[in-house]
Amino acid sequence: MIYEIFPPSIQNALKKLNSDKISEIRVRKGFPITIKYDNEFYFISDKGLSGYAQNCAVCTSGDIEYIITAMTDNSLYAFNERLKEGFLTCGDGTRCGIAGECVYDKNGIVTVKNITSLIFRVPHEIVGCSKKIIPFIRKEGRILNTLIVSPPGFGKTTILKDLVKNLPQREQILICDERGEFVNVQGKNLDKIAYSSKEYVFECGIRSLSPSVVVFDELIEKDWLAVNKTVLTGVKVIASAHGYNAETLKKNEYFIDGIFERYVFLRGSGHAGLIERIYDENFKEIK
């Protein structure tokens, strides 16, 4: 758990809780600190949790400065490229989304200052959560190009982390770890390129590392062309993307039909990584 990056008062409250039940921590300047615990939101108090905001810990600008300093080893400038993308990542792979004031020049965003909100998405390993998917994404011994789809917080990254550990050992897997969230995922057949764009992985990683499968997390609009180029090389792709259902996915103007042979949609029921539906390349349901 990431206790050490928080001020002592917040650390003490967090240490009273079962870390396995913490999935989000939301820190907003001037407001009570909230935590998603056992799939419900609470406030943090000196006794641990409270359902009421009164007498609970209120975030100060000093708290945010303390946390940012701890996450960046007192060198915010060194992490500025990630900051411009709206996130930082802790050493254990916990992703921190950042809200503040964007600073621009003629080339685009220079940095983010006056940070007001930090949203921590706390990862948890769910061993075996991908095993029900694997029979559907293999055919005649080969991996099928697969897209895992859900709204935020339904367990896409959790599924991917478990999936790469359960693919056949003969597969040579390259993980595009854009946000450093796969830091604890290791394997004798796994390679990772951290904090890179998907385009870089296509241009350089595939050529130099010769994977048979590339894993991309959270495709956004600009990523689809890089993924399509990867598939056209014959390398298999397993990826994730935000979406609600097949209809809304296909309505996105950047959606490219024909890339993926399987679409796995997850459902939210308080437990990450549960399968709602699986479709083939023609969006015909097979589960």
Side-chain angles (χ1 to χ4, degrees):
M1 185 55 192
I2 52 171
Y3 299 128
E4 65 276 5
I5 69 169
F6 291 98
S9 60
I10 301 175
Q11 284 189 40
N12 293 336
L14 291 174
K15 287 178 180 179
K16 295 175 182 179
L17 307 177
N18 182 345
S19 60
D20 290 337
K21 295 184 178 182
I22 300 173
S23 56
E24 288 184 9
I25 302 171
R26 294 179 175 260
V27 180
R28 298 182 177 101
K29 186 172 72 172
F31 293 94
I33 297 165
T34 59
I35 185 169
K36 193 172 185 180
Y37 187 82
D38 204 16
N39 210 42
E40 297 288 342
F41 279 104
Y42 297 93
F43 301 104
I44 292 180
S45 73
D46 56 2
K47 296 180 180 179
L49 295 180
S50 175
Y52 303 95
Q54 294 85 349
N55 300 319
C56 287
V58 174
C59 173
T60 67
S61 57
D63 291 332
I64 289 181
E65 183 178 352
Y66 185 105
I67 295 168
I68 292 292
T69 298
M71 282 196 294
T72 60
D73 296 323
N74 203 26
S75 180
L76 185 59
Y77 176 80
F79 290 79
N80 194 57
E81 288 303 312
R82 301 176 206 174
L83 191 65
K84 289 193 297 184
E85 295 291 328
F87 78 96
L88 291 171
T89 307
C90 303
D92 66 347
T94 298
R95 185 174 66 189
C96 174
I98 292 171
E101 184 179 331
C102 293
V103 179
Y104 288 83
D105 67 9
K106 62 182 181 180
N107 297 314
I109 294 178
V110 176
T111 190
V112 178
K113 68 177 184 178
N114 298 330
I115 295 170
T116 56
S117 299
L118 303 172
I119 314 299
F120 294 87
R121 296 274 299 277
V122 182
H124 295 286
E125 182 179 14
I126 303 179
V127 177
C129 64
S130 68
K131 288 186 176 179
K132 290 184 179 180
I133 293 176
I134 290 177
F136 294 96
I137 67 170
R138 296 178 64 192
K139 185 176 182 180
E140 297 176 354
R142 69 183 182 93
I143 301 298
L144 300 175
N145 296 314
T146 300
L147 183 66
I148 299 170
V149 187
S150 81
F154 280 39
K156 295 183 295 297
T157 304
T158 300
I159 285 275
L160 285 178
K161 288 180 179 180
D162 190 70
L163 186 59
V164 296
K165 297 176 183 178
N166 289 293
L167 291 177
Q169 290 293 302
R170 67 175 178 273
E171 301 292 349
Q172 300 304 310
I173 302 168
L174 174 59
I175 300 172
C176 175
D177 189 11
E178 278 187 292
R179 296 173 181 262
E181 294 178 277
F182 288 77
V183 63
N184 294 323
V185 179
Q186 306 291 335
K188 62 183 181 182
N189 62 330
L190 302 180
D191 303 301
K192 287 180 288 186
I193 300 179
Y195 302 111
S196 72
S197 68
K198 297 176 180 70
E199 185 67 29
Y200 175 85
V201 168
F202 169 73
E203 295 289 348
C204 302
I206 291 175
R207 185 186 313 121
S208 60
L209 297 171
S210 299
S212 58
V213 179
V214 178
V215 174
F216 295 111
D217 197 10
E218 294 194 3
L219 302 185
I220 59 176
E221 181 175 356
K222 66 184 179 65
D223 299 328
W224 281 76
L225 289 177
V227 173
N228 191 41
K229 292 176 185 177
T230 302
V231 169
L232 291 176
T233 68
V235 175
K236 295 300 180 180
V237 168
I238 299 175
S240 71
H242 288 146
Y244 180 69
N245 55 31
E247 288 70 29
T248 57
L249 177 68
K250 290 188 288 185
K251 285 180 180 178
N252 287 320
E253 61 181 17
Y254 52 80
F255 173 78
I256 302 176
D257 198 8
I259 294 181
F260 295 103
E261 301 163 282
R262 291 291 184 269
Y263 298 89
V264 179
F265 287 82
L266 305 182
R267 58 188 172 94
S269 63
H271 299 281
L274 297 181
I275 303 168
E276 177 72 26
R277 290 183 175 85
I278 299 178
Y279 297 97
D280 67 9
E281 63 272 26
N282 298 312
F283 284 96
K284 180 179 179 181
E285 188 172 355
I286 57 176
K287 180 183 182 299

